[in-house]
Amino acid sequence: EVQLLESGGGLVQPGGSLRLSCAASGITFSTYAISWVRQAPGKGLECVSVISGSGGTTYYADSVKGRFTVSRDNSKNTQYLQMNSLRAEDTAIYYCVGHQLLSAGWFDSWGQGTLVTVSS
Amino acid sequence: DIQMTQSPSSLSASVEDRVTITCRASQSISSYVNWYQQKPGKAPELLIYAASSLQSGVPSRFSGSGSGTDFSLTISSLQSEDSATYYCQQSYSRLTTFGQGTRLEIK
């Protein structure tokens, strides 16, 4: 059974930084792409980044480009989302999602989410 | 970016009703559409992938159809546990996008 566990969320001031982690089990981690999907309070779903299984390909939403960076350590079965220059509008639940195709696929494995709050 | 427009944004229906939610893409995306169900406080769950394939474990009352720009999710006989928000998703482009969601309430 695939399990994805996010950590690292919390309260941060505007302009601050935070690093989220996504730890995986039950899968051959290096064969899974990982996306981060966020959901602002009472709002819909937005995919902000994706990284390929090897880590060699990454894509970002325009809303976070230049501020967020994804990376992964396949030896630790863990993927990271480094968030810098945080803004109030980045406040959301962040879900880590595992999927076998980098694109043209579907999201069948979701973590439980971690809450990021950007506020002074 | 490919925009996904869902309709309606909310609806109310009775148990055993047939319910259809539609999603329109801003450009042709073949069959690269998936559907999710999200209940309050929970992560979304995959219902339908590749426009019409039923995810394992999902009740057969859920079905999907469409190709090109127009897609739909149908619940053939609504049950009380189907109260949730439903999202379509396109996976045609490098970074996926979702519709704005449809909130389904049981009368």
Side-chain angles (χ1 to χ4, degrees), chain A residues 15-80:
Chain A
S17 297
L18 212 54
R19 188 177 83 157
L20 305 184
S21 298
C22 172
S25 60
I27 57 174
T28 302
F29 187 63
S30 62
T31 66
Y32 273 68
I34 301 290
S35 289
W36 286 93
V37 175
R38 69 183 181 184
Q39 187 169 36
K43 302 297 184 183
L45 303 170
E46 179 189 21
C47 184
V48 298
S49 69
V50 60
I51 184 169
S52 63
S54 67
T57 301
T58 58
Y59 301 124
Y60 299 92
D62 289 343
S63 57
V64 306
K65 202 170 292 183
R67 301 187 298 122
F68 289 13
T69 304
V70 290
S71 61
R72 62 193 296 158
D73 185 340
N74 286 345
S75 69
K76 296 182 178 179
N77 283 8
T78 303
Q79 191 264 334
Y80 306 99

Side-chain angles (χ1 to χ4, degrees), chain A residues 39 59 61 95 104-105 107 111, chain B residues 32 34 36 38 87 91 94-95:
Chain A
Q39 187 169 36
Y59 301 124
Y95 295 102
F107 289 0
Chain B
Y32 294 107
N34 311 305
Y36 299 85
Q38 186 181 32
Y87 293 93
S91 58
R94 295 187 309 184
L95 200 68

Side-chain angles (χ1 to χ4, degrees), chain B residues 20-34:
Chain B
T20 297
I21 298 167
T22 63
C23 194
R24 174 163 287 178
S26 58
Q27 67 180 73
S28 180
I29 56 172
S30 185
S31 297
Y32 294 107
V33 164
N34 311 305

